[in-house]
Amino acid sequence: MKEALEQIRRTADGLIAAAADEKAVDELRVRFLGKKGELTGILKQMGRLSAEERPVIGALANEVREGIDAHIRARMKDLAEAALTARLAAETIDVTLPGTQPVQGGLHPFHLVLSELKDIFLGMGFDVVEGPEVELDHYNFEMLNMPKSHPARDTQDTFYITENILLRTQTSPMQIRTMEQKKAPIRIIAPGRVYRSDAVDATHSPLFHQIEGLVVDEGITFTDLKGTLEVFIQKLYGPETRVRFRPHHFPYTEPSAEMDMSCFKCGGKGCPLCKGEGWIEILGCGMVHPKVLENCGIDPERYSGYAFGVGLERITMMRYGIDDMRLLYENDLRFLKQFN
Ligand code: DAH
């Protein structure tokens, strides 16, 4: 029996030392020290021993058990430490490596020009207001002196939702909404999306953007309109830019005009961009029609005002020399990245 115990000790020691991982060691613990293990098997036979042999073998059995147990614990500890060391080595982070650059977005050219334009007008004491894109016929046309029968409606290919509701064709309804609400004095710009049933090409889109301007106060004259718009254009395109006004017709202004600016490319000499004219049409404007003031409850005997409407697409394209409007909507990063 003594020999059997020694045999167990040798086998166990050899196997524990050779065990590759904690799981293998645990299996050896069960095999040698478990309830149905080899050592227990030997101890069960103790009854057959004589009274003198029993304490000697008992002591040896205990010693073998403790020896194997201690060996198992030590091996477990070593293996755990080795596993940790290996993991630390595998998961090492090199903090000196360059980081990955996060993708950084930029502002769309519309936003760049619009914020420049807002800055210019805010600097001249204007407020920025916004209004609905789904608009009443009443505000989009009726109150602007364009009753249902008016031919000027036909030039705006309108998306109607019902007979009296439509996608606004212009930002001019914001004049009416503002005058109705605030009366006078008023000094606002109203940027926003507008819609017309136009086919897409290099200069047309069914969705585009306008910025409306409106000033109403006592003693406002056409010189205020001219001076303000000249300053605006010169701030946007440079102090050498000249402007000119041509008579025009809008039902909601009287007199009405279109404003041209000297071609920013040739300086007015004439080039392919301005089609040899030296001038580029930039916006519509005029003195608010007395009837429109009256419609909004403002006394045209006391107050006068001017208004203008400018296309954001047009001034953005001029600003950056973009020759196709579709580029502004396609969101091609190769195009957009050039502005940041
Ligand atoms: N609403 C006009 C358009 O869409 C632009 C315009 C012209 C606005 C004259 C005005 C204005 O306020 O006074 O073409």
Side-chain angles (χ1 to χ4, degrees), residues 156 169-172 175 196 208 210-213 250 252-253 256-257 283-288 306-310:
Q156 305 194 0
T169 60
Q170 49 185 353
T171 44
S172 302
Q175 294 185 22
R196 287 183 202 178
F208 59 106
Q210 286 187 335
I211 301 118
E212 193 78 9
F250 298 105
Y252 34 95
T253 42
S256 303
L283 56 77
C285 57
M287 299 305 292
V288 181
Y306 68 82
F308 58 91
V310 56

Side-chain angles (χ1 to χ4, degrees), residues 20 24 27 34 132 134 140 172 175 188 191 194 205 260 264 286 308 313 322:
E27 279 165 14
V134 179
N140 196 82
S172 302
Q175 294 185 22
I188 54 131
V194 299
S205 160
D260 299 336
F264 63 94
F308 58 91
E313 276 71 5
I322 299 165

Side-chain angles (χ1 to χ4, degrees), residues 80-121:
E81 269 168 19
L84 179 63
T85 312
R87 203 175 141 199
L88 286 175
E91 293 178 7
T92 303
I93 295 167
D94 183 350
V95 294
T96 65
L97 284 174
T100 19
Q101 194 81 25
V103 182
Q104 201 174 7
L107 292 177
H108 191 277
F110 279 154
H111 270 273
L112 294 170
V113 171
L114 185 58
S115 53
E116 218 176 311
L117 185 143
K118 281 183 185 170
D119 273 354
I120 295 171
F121 280 101

